[in-house]
Amino acid sequence: MASRLEEMMQARRDVREDMLQNGTNPYPQEGHRTHTNQQALDLADGKKATIAGRVRAMRGHGKIRFVDVHDEFTKIQVVFKQDETADFAAIKNFHTGDFIRVTGERFTTNAGEASLLRASSTCFPKRSARCQIPGTAFLTKRNAIAVVRST
């Protein structure tokens, strides 16, 4: 019987394999953003922004998914709509704790929450071991997503 750690590591390897099979780089080299979460929330509806942060919560309702992304200070809700997203199935590779970068349009939901309607996104998956593996991503103190490079 596999331990919990072994199961988690295998799940992460499975996500990596799925991303590779779909032509997605699981270890992208850049992760710059144009706005902090607060700056994106302060934008007027219809303005574009690119944010980056950590997935803290995910929920779905039919053909729509909501992902709460936190940067160092603020949470923003990112909305994925199946009808407006060509690669909607890719959201299955997002997990709580992953770092993601999202580009989208600022809008207000029917419930009145300021959100970002996702146009494109990049997932920076968690590493699959306790050591820093070359190619894995992390958020720096300056909020750039950096990638561990081999020495």
Side-chain angles (χ1 to χ4, degrees):
M1 182 162 194
S3 73
R4 177 77 175 129
L5 177 60
E6 290 168 342
E7 290 173 6
M8 288 172 37
M9 290 176 64
Q10 184 58 48
R12 291 175 186 171
R13 284 191 287 270
D14 292 345
V15 166
R16 179 184 178 276
E17 186 61 33
D18 186 55
M19 291 174 83
L20 288 171
Q21 287 178 359
N22 291 322
T24 303
N25 179 3
Y27 307 114
Q29 298 298 309
E30 294 183 5
H32 301 288
R33 64 182 184 180
T34 60
H35 296 77
T36 65
N37 288 356
Q38 187 60 56
Q39 290 169 335
L41 290 170
D42 292 340
L43 291 173
D45 281 0
K47 298 290 185 179
K48 289 202 173 236
T50 299
I51 57 107
R54 192 166 209 161
V55 174
R56 292 293 173 99
M58 297 176 65
R59 57 203 173 282
H61 303 283
K63 296 181 179 184
I64 193 167
R65 298 286 183 266
F66 301 96
V67 178
D68 290 344
V69 178
H70 290 246
D71 64 9
E72 69 275 27
F73 301 112
T74 311
K75 171 194 80 96
I76 190 169
Q77 176 176 267
V78 178
V79 179
F80 294 74
K81 291 185 177 181
Q82 185 173 3
D83 299 338
E84 299 177 21
T85 305
D87 60 343
F88 184 77
I91 196 172
K92 73 179 186 290
N93 291 327
F94 293 4
H95 295 94
T96 302
D98 285 346
F99 288 100
I100 64 171
R101 177 184 61 224
V102 180
T103 299
E105 186 176 293
R106 164 70 169 77
F107 83 110
T108 304
T109 65
N110 292 340
E113 184 168 355
S115 302
L116 197 65
L117 180 60
R118 181 240 188 219
S120 66
S121 59
T122 304
C123 182
F124 299 87
K126 296 180 289 283
R127 60 186 182 203
S128 59
R130 292 183 182 184
C131 63
Q132 290 194 345
I133 299 170
T136 58
F138 61 94
L139 197 62
T140 69
K141 290 181 181 179
R142 293 187 182 134
N143 285 330
I145 294 176
V147 177
V148 176
R149 301 203 188 276
S150 59
T151 56

